[in-house]
Amino acid sequence: MKKYSTILCLVIFLTSSYFSYSQYLVVSKAATIKEQPDVGSGIIERVARGDTLPLLEQGQQTNGYYHVKCISVNQPGWIYRTLVRRYEGPIPGSQPDDQTAVVNSLVGVGKIPAGYYTGTENLEGQDLERKLYEIIRNQVEFEYTSDDTTDVWDILKDTDRDPADPDHVICIYSGISMDAASEKNTWQREHVWSQSHGQFGRKEGPGVDVHHLRPVHPKFNGSNAKSNKDFDEGGKAFKYDGREYGCYVTDSTWEPRDEVKGDIARMMFYMDVRYEGENGEPDLELINNSNTSKNYKNQPVYGNLRTLLKWHEADPVDNWERNRNDLIYSKYQKNRNPFIDHPEFVKKIWPN
């Protein structure tokens, strides 16, 4: 069974008729899934990081483990925790305060609005791509930086909030949790589709689109790290402060940790479909090339499509992504990432 180094769980006590949840654990993307300690044959299997797991027996705790029901195999199991925060607050839809905002942002993930994808039935290839563009192109835009109104900093503090500490954000490439209030001094805003791959600014369109903007630790965004490199596999293990984080780098490519490879792929697919060269926007395109900065200098292309398709399959959509997609749609941009809602669209547009 695959194990992960950090355990971040959240116990929430809420009841909502709309979402029909009561007590549950939200497993973070950095969670460590363990076998249950000497309680029979049942173990937690195939529990995705980010899954919402209903608690059994009032959340009974035994030797640091919480008794849960494994959704995917429908049998009891145990999940180990080192940190659990308990929140009590209003049901979703009520005005949250600082202590309950994280609760509201984690309840009811994956609720696709009825009819949002009407017209995509039986479409494939360019026909599907065009239809998705028409659905998602109309979005509310926020300023990149503003002292007077909601800006990208504010949105990322919400969409990328650390479930174990609502005052922190989780950085995309490292998984490091950083003080959200210390933006500008500690964490940065990463354009996953780098600005130089399209020559867009930070005032509109892809420059302020939070579907591909993520918090990043500055050391993972420099010239010896991701920078504007293509996404691909291989290279030298990237180290920060003497530690490896599962990232690899070459002169032209960046490989992120396994936990976010699918997330990154689906963000890149979104950008390819969302920006088609209309209304003064760049025509972004994913291609099979691992050195586009050199071979397609300043052109609106990114690689490596073949690798991103592989990552999409290897790291399926989880509830962290679904929750983030819902927040961006419901509270901010009013558009969605279709490849999170419908992962099967990927093969329909890029079958080979």
Side-chain angles (χ1 to χ4, degrees), residues 150-162:
T150 299
D151 63 11
V152 169
W153 288 119
D154 300 319
I155 297 173
L156 295 186
K157 291 176 187 178
D158 190 8
T159 60
D160 293 75
R161 191 190 306 271
D162 184 344

Side-chain angles (χ1 to χ4, degrees), residues 68-313:
V68 301
K69 181 178 181 180
C70 179
I71 297 174
S72 57
V73 296
N74 196 31
Q75 63 184 32
W78 297 79
I79 182 167
Y80 182 70
R81 61 90 173 159
T82 56
L83 174 64
V84 172
R85 281 176 172 261
R86 175 177 298 183
Y87 290 93
E88 297 181 6
I91 63 174
S94 301
Q95 182 64 38
D97 56 32
D98 290 341
Q99 294 300 312
T100 60
V102 67
V103 173
N104 289 307
S105 72
L106 286 169
V107 174
V109 295
K111 302 295 182 182
I112 304 172
Y116 189 80
Y117 292 105
T118 297
T120 61
E121 301 84 356
N122 303 317
L123 296 182
E124 296 182 356
Q126 292 183 353
D127 291 338
L128 176 58
E129 184 175 0
R130 182 64 193 184
K131 184 60 182 180
L132 291 177
Y133 168 72
E134 292 172 355
I135 291 171
I136 67 177
R137 66 180 177 180
N138 294 318
Q139 69 196 57
V140 178
E141 293 185 348
F142 292 80
E143 292 187 39
Y144 193 70
T145 302
S146 174
D147 294 329
D148 302 321
T149 186
T150 299
D151 63 11
V152 169
W153 288 119
D154 300 319
I155 297 173
L156 295 186
K157 291 176 187 178
D158 190 8
T159 60
D160 293 75
R161 191 190 306 271
D162 184 344
D165 189 339
D167 296 324
H168 283 61
V169 293
I170 296 179
C171 295
I172 179 69
Y173 300 132
S174 63
I176 294 174
S177 181
M178 303 188 75
D179 182 6
S182 297
E183 83 276 15
K184 305 176 185 178
N185 296 321
T186 56
W187 58 280
Q188 300 174 343
R189 293 163 294 181
E190 157 72 340
H191 290 85
V192 176
W193 188 296
S194 300
Q195 291 176 265
S196 61
H197 293 247
Q199 299 301 300
F200 51 83
R202 298 177 177 179
K203 291 185 177 180
E204 58 187 4
V208 294
D209 194 324
V210 291
H211 275 295
H212 86 121
L213 280 162
R214 302 295 294 268
V216 64
H217 190 290
K219 294 296 184 180
F220 289 75
N221 200 30
S223 59
N224 65 333
K226 193 267 183 175
S227 187
N228 66 345
K229 297 178 175 66
D230 290 300
F231 291 106
D232 211 339
E233 296 180 349
K236 181 180 179 181
F238 179 81
K239 293 183 180 181
Y240 164 62
D241 201 20
R243 176 184 167 189
E244 294 183 6
Y245 288 79
C247 302
Y248 297 85
V249 62
T250 71
D251 290 341
S252 60
T253 65
W254 174 250
E255 178 181 352
R257 57 195 175 105
D258 290 345
E259 291 86 347
V260 297
K261 284 179 174 175
D263 308 46
I264 288 168
R266 287 176 282 275
M267 284 186 279
M268 299 296 278
F269 299 149
Y270 163 87
M271 295 295 285
D272 181 302
V273 171
R274 167 60 187 85
Y275 296 97
E276 293 289 285
E278 299 184 10
N279 302 315
E281 296 172 341
D283 184 5
L284 304 184
E285 183 181 0
L286 292 169
I287 64 173
N288 287 318
N289 191 287
S290 295
N291 195 359
T292 58
S293 294
K294 177 181 178 180
N295 299 330
Y296 297 83
K297 189 175 180 61
N298 297 330
Q299 295 187 39
V301 298
Y302 224 113
N304 188 318
L305 172 59
R306 186 178 294 108
T307 299
L308 293 170
L309 292 170
K310 173 183 175 182
W311 291 353
H312 168 66
E313 296 293 333

Side-chain angles (χ1 to χ4, degrees), residues 13-24 90-93 107-108:
F13 289 84
L14 281 174
T15 301
S16 167
S17 59
Y18 180 78
F19 295 118
S20 68
Y21 289 128
S22 53
Q23 299 178 17
Y24 56 87
I91 63 174
V107 174

